[in-house]
Amino acid sequence: MPLDAWSLLKASLEGDESGTSILSIDKTTKKFEFILRNKLFDTLEFGFDLNSFLTKKIENSDYSRELIYKTDGTILESHFGKFTVPEESKNKEYTKFCIKDITAKQRQEEDIAWRLRFEIGVASSIQILIQQPSIREGLPHALYQLLYFTEMDSIFYLKYEPIESQTRFQIWVNERKSTKYPLLPKECQNSDWYELGLSRWVHKLKKEKTIHLTKERALAREKWFFDQTQAETLLLIPVLFENQFLGVMGFLKYKPNTPIKQENLLIYQTVSRWMGLFVQRDLDLTEINRYKSTLESLVLERTLDLTKTKEELERAYRAKTEFLAHMSHELRTPLNSIIGFSKLIQIPDSDKTGKEYLNYIYTGGTRLLNMINEILGLMKIESGQIKIQLTTFKPEDLCRQTLELIQPQANAKGMDIRFKPPSQSKNLTSDSGKIQQILLNLLSNAIKYSNQAYIEFDCHWDSDNLTISVRDFGPGISEEDQNRIFHTFTRLNDDGNIEGTGLGLSISQGLAVRLGGHIELTSQIGQGSNFKLKLPELIK
């Protein structure tokens, strides 16, 4: 007996990788019913109110993709598709509704995003400390910057200050994301930790062990700490330098049932290594200043003091150099391997999920590598290590080459780049590679932050100076934000959907200054922004 068309369709749905169903919708009442559904759909629908979800979508004629978070932690992706039935009723329409389990994909993206944010926080904190003459003064700002890029709610640093037989700590940093959270109790600074009932913590920290503790697992004599801080989770990391215990870096979380993942815990522990280096440097500099103030009258000891100062400066410079070398080798080398092998791995075309996950590895690794390269590039600019390679060329030719490189990004957003070459064709002697890097950044920003149909790209000569401008018609930038737009790690109009680290404009301005020019910005809210790169005809 031959099968009817609906039976054949139902059999075909069983081969789908998604939970698939066919809905019949009454155009007048917006009521719906399931005509067909495969077994995977029946399995995935448990754990959330499917009927309420579909009723709301259909009543609002909202057929866009949407994520569904089930009570068991599973994450589903839902989408609709038009479905045509021959000789269908005029009052009815049919649609295909699919749900797909993307929990693993979503978790992987969240982990990659977390690591990217943490690395940015670490790099930003270290940059602040390197630039500060006094670690004690710059540490609160640096650690708050680190806290901002983590899921923690507060951060503190306790300097170890033993007095005779007592174990005491001095609070150097006590920062929090919101004032609704209490600060660290004063008892932590003014009292002996043994008398406070925290002897177990002291023993572990001095043995270079990290303390990861929740309120419910704390001992009775330790619960007062959680009661006063209102914290649910505590993370204490010992800070050492050459096996000498210097203090404690701590984090608090206030939201219950949000444990720290073991792999993330290891990443937090790495922060204490550079903390020990900077704290010891500050202690050494403090000691040197004490010698300078008390022995200034003696020439011999003054000479010794200058020698010690020189050693400390060299030590600080070596620390920065070692950090750059470590960052370059330990992060870029394995990342290049990951990216390279992800392109070499061969997965059958039938394994779409495997190909999708492999692409996540490749794109995530590429983003992280680009971020690291930007940070290293910024540090090279600030340390004066950028080399200029002079060539003579026509700027309009370079602008056209840059347009070819950026055009795919503009096409993807459906935007037009209107280029206006200079009326006078002259040669420019400069570093074409550095100029192109600046222009690519300015054009990329204009495309990302503008929703209009086009942007303007102009090039003209003003006497012996060249001006290349990139104008967009996006939301514009306020006067207050214009004062900090070229600062490192600054991102404006950030809704979380635009990729970037906030380093591009800072790097571009640094390169422009190195080439003897600068970047100017004019902007008004609601009328877009105009970035102008101004360069001399010859670098002096």
Side-chain angles (χ1 to χ4, degrees), residues 101 105 184 238 306 318 438 469:
D101 188 343
K105 164 191 169 183
L184 203 64
L306 292 173
R318 287 197 301 270
I438 297 171
S469 64

Side-chain angles (χ1 to χ4, degrees), residues 111 114-115 151-152 210-213 217 233 235 237 253 258-270:
D111 287 342
W114 185 92
R115 283 168 173 76
E151 79 274 28
M152 298 299 189
T210 296
I211 297 174
H212 178 210
L213 189 62
R217 295 179 60 187
T233 305
L235 178 61
I237 307 172
K253 291 183 72 174
T258 55
I260 305 172
K261 295 181 181 179
Q262 183 62 31
E263 56 269 27
N264 292 350
L265 183 61
L266 296 175
I267 296 176
Y268 277 108
Q269 291 172 341
T270 62

Side-chain angles (χ1 to χ4, degrees), residues 6 77 88 128 137 159 241 257 313 396 435 441 449 528:
W6 288 105
E77 182 182 51
E88 64 181 48
I128 291 171
E137 295 177 2
K159 175 67 178 62
F241 181 79
N257 303 319
L313 292 174
E396 58 266 32
I435 296 175
N441 181 264
Y449 287 96

Side-chain angles (χ1 to χ4, degrees), residues 16-33:
D16 285 0
E17 294 182 354
S18 304
T20 307
S21 64
I22 306 297
L23 299 176
S24 171
I25 303 173
D26 190 300
K27 296 180 180 179
T28 303
T29 64
K30 298 292 185 178
K31 301 294 183 182
F32 68 90
E33 62 176 333

Side-chain angles (χ1 to χ4, degrees), residues 445 477-478 480-492 502-506 509 521 531:
N445 284 347
I477 303 171
S478 66
E480 179 182 355
D481 288 336
Q482 289 180 40
N483 294 328
R484 61 187 185 92
I485 189 67
F486 294 101
H487 293 177
T488 56
F489 301 104
T490 298
R491 300 186 65 197
L492 306 180
L503 291 174
L505 287 177
S506 178
Q509 185 69 280
L521 166 62
F531 287 86

Side-chain angles (χ1 to χ4, degrees), residues 46-58:
F46 290 106
F48 74 102
D49 191 347
L50 176 62
N51 286 333
S52 298
F53 176 80
L54 288 173
T55 298
K56 183 179 179 181
K57 298 284 281 188
I58 293 172

Side-chain angles (χ1 to χ4, degrees), residues 1 8 23 37-38 49 64-65 78-79 146 154 172 179 183 186 214 221 244 303 340 353 369 388 395 420-421 431 440:
M1 180 176 180
L8 291 173
L23 299 176
R37 49 203 284 169
N38 61 10
D49 191 347
S64 61
R65 290 179 179 266
S78 68
H79 69 274
L146 175 65
S154 70
W172 276 20
T179 55
L183 290 169
K186 293 182 179 179
T214 58
R221 65 175 184 269
Q244 180 184 358
T303 303
T353 301
L369 183 60
I388 300 300
K420 182 180 179 181
D431 190 324
L440 285 172

Side-chain angles (χ1 to χ4, degrees), residues 455-474:
I455 58 178
E456 295 178 351
F457 185 30
D458 297 341
C459 178
H460 68 272
W461 287 95
D462 182 11
S463 184
D464 292 333
N465 295 319
L466 175 70
T467 300
I468 304 177
S469 64
V470 176
R471 182 183 180 186
D472 66 68
F473 300 90

